[in-house]
Amino acid sequence: MKNHRSAGLVAGLALSLAFGSALVAAPVAAQAQETPASPIDLARPITEYKLYVADATRQLVADTRAFTAAVKAGDLAKAQALFGPSRMNYERVEPIAELFSDLDGSIDSRADDHEKREADEGFTGFHRIEYGLFGKKSTDGLGPVADRLQADVEELNKRIRGLTFPPDKVVGGAAALMEEVAKTKISGEEDRYSHTDLYDFVANFEGSEKIFTLFSPYVSDKAFVEKVSGNFAAVEKTLGKYKTAEGYESYDKLTDADRRKLAALVNTLAEDLSTLRARLGLD
């Protein structure tokens, strides 16, 4: 994973303590009673998840094509409107970004991942275009970046077909993504120029929930499954408050209290999902 995805659990635990009233403690004792799932059992959810990812990357190609066409045509307003929605299918498959880390760096890196930040030639992909569209409010010079982005998502779509999906990476990726959302994305650092973070959050939760839904039938602690399902529902309800006729509210409109509440809910999910690999016998 990229640098901004490598932080430890300390910040997440701090948020958990700060907003403990919104959290439900993980049933640690129950984990010892789990019956590990067999490799044969896990073949089915992996197959279904791979189909989910393949569908998402196919749609990503089409969404990115419409977005980059607007950028290359110099249609600033249309390109700005398409930025948030066009990224959602990438954000849905982000739990397994570690499996295509080279493309992840090209498609989704942030300015702070590069020595010269926004001026660095290695800063490409969605966020480089975002900087132009919303930071500079211009499409000037973005044509080559748009072409590179389109080529990268098309390569990702092709690569998915032959990619191996290790169950431990898939299940662990869901927890790691929730941890990343709680510790870094919740600050608004990812979509810092456009403030379209809520599109990312919705897609991140959908992608992680898909993994949990596919693998949860193989968890013997049904109380745990019910609790995590309820926590996902709570996050979805909270995010639903910010849905508009056009999409989602600009993230800079959320108050500090809104962000703290969301962070607490996400930390709960991160903590619970961090136990999922062990419950499935994948550690």
Side-chain angles (χ1 to χ4, degrees):
M1 290 190 177
K2 300 191 290 295
N3 292 337
H4 58 268
R5 292 177 182 152
S6 62
L9 289 168
V10 177
L13 291 174
L15 274 171
S16 298
L17 292 172
F19 312 116
S21 62
L23 306 180
V24 181
V28 177
Q31 296 178 41
Q33 302 171 4
E34 293 286 354
T35 302
S38 73
I40 295 176
D41 287 337
L42 298 183
R44 180 171 183 175
I46 284 294
T47 298
E48 292 186 26
Y49 182 65
K50 188 169 184 177
L51 291 172
Y52 171 81
V53 171
D55 182 64
T57 56
R58 280 194 299 270
Q59 188 58 49
L60 174 66
V61 169
D63 293 343
T64 306
R65 185 175 294 117
F67 170 60
T68 56
V71 172
K72 293 171 68 175
D75 191 336
L76 179 62
K78 184 175 182 180
Q80 288 177 332
L82 289 177
F83 176 75
S86 71
R87 287 172 40 77
M88 291 186 77
N89 277 298
Y90 189 81
E91 296 294 318
R92 288 186 178 102
V93 304
E94 196 172 5
I96 58 163
E98 182 182 353
L99 301 181
F100 45 85
S101 57
D102 59 328
L103 288 173
D104 186 41
S106 178
I107 293 170
D108 199 41
S109 68
R110 269 78 111 182
D112 16 341
D113 294 325
H114 303 276
E115 183 179 358
K116 297 179 181 178
R117 298 179 60 83
E118 286 86 354
D120 201 301
E121 291 184 1
F123 181 32
T124 60
F126 277 114
H127 295 300
R128 173 61 184 89
I129 297 175
E130 178 198 9
Y131 170 60
L133 297 179
F134 296 91
K136 293 186 171 182
K137 293 182 169 39
S138 172
T139 61
D140 291 350
L142 294 180
V145 186
D147 286 338
R148 169 74 180 275
L149 175 60
Q150 187 64 41
D152 284 339
V153 298
E154 289 179 5
E155 172 60 25
L156 174 59
N157 185 44
K158 293 176 184 176
R159 194 181 296 185
I160 288 298
R161 302 170 195 169
L163 198 62
T164 297
F165 285 42
D168 62 322
K169 298 293 186 183
V170 173
V171 173
L177 181 57
M178 290 299 94
E179 184 182 330
E180 182 193 347
V181 172
K183 290 185 305 186
T184 61
K185 291 191 177 190
I186 207 75
S187 69
E189 60 84 30
E190 180 161 12
D191 299 324
R192 64 193 66 173
Y193 318 106
S194 63
H195 306 300
T196 55
D197 306 79
L198 288 170
Y199 288 89
D200 290 3
F201 295 170
V202 169
N204 286 163
F205 289 119
E206 288 175 352
S208 292
E209 185 174 24
K210 181 66 175 182
I211 292 171
F212 176 74
T213 300
L214 289 174
F215 283 89
S216 61
Y218 305 96
V219 175
S220 57
D221 185 349
K222 300 309 176 187
F224 168 80
V225 172
E226 184 177 353
K227 179 168 77 74
V228 177
S229 297
N231 288 334
F232 268 115
V235 171
E236 290 167 6
K237 182 178 180 180
T238 299
L239 288 173
K241 295 178 181 178
Y242 308 116
K243 189 169 178 57
T244 67
E246 293 76 30
Y248 290 91
E249 290 279 7
S250 179
Y251 192 57
D252 57 351
K253 292 185 178 180
L254 271 66
T255 65
D256 288 343
D258 291 332
R259 297 188 187 198
R260 287 197 297 268
K261 179 179 180 180
L262 189 55
L265 291 169
V266 180
N267 263 299
T268 302
L269 281 175
E271 291 170 3
D272 285 344
L273 292 176
S274 70
T275 71
L276 191 54
R277 287 199 310 185
R279 292 173 183 276
L280 293 166
L282 294 172
D283 278 351

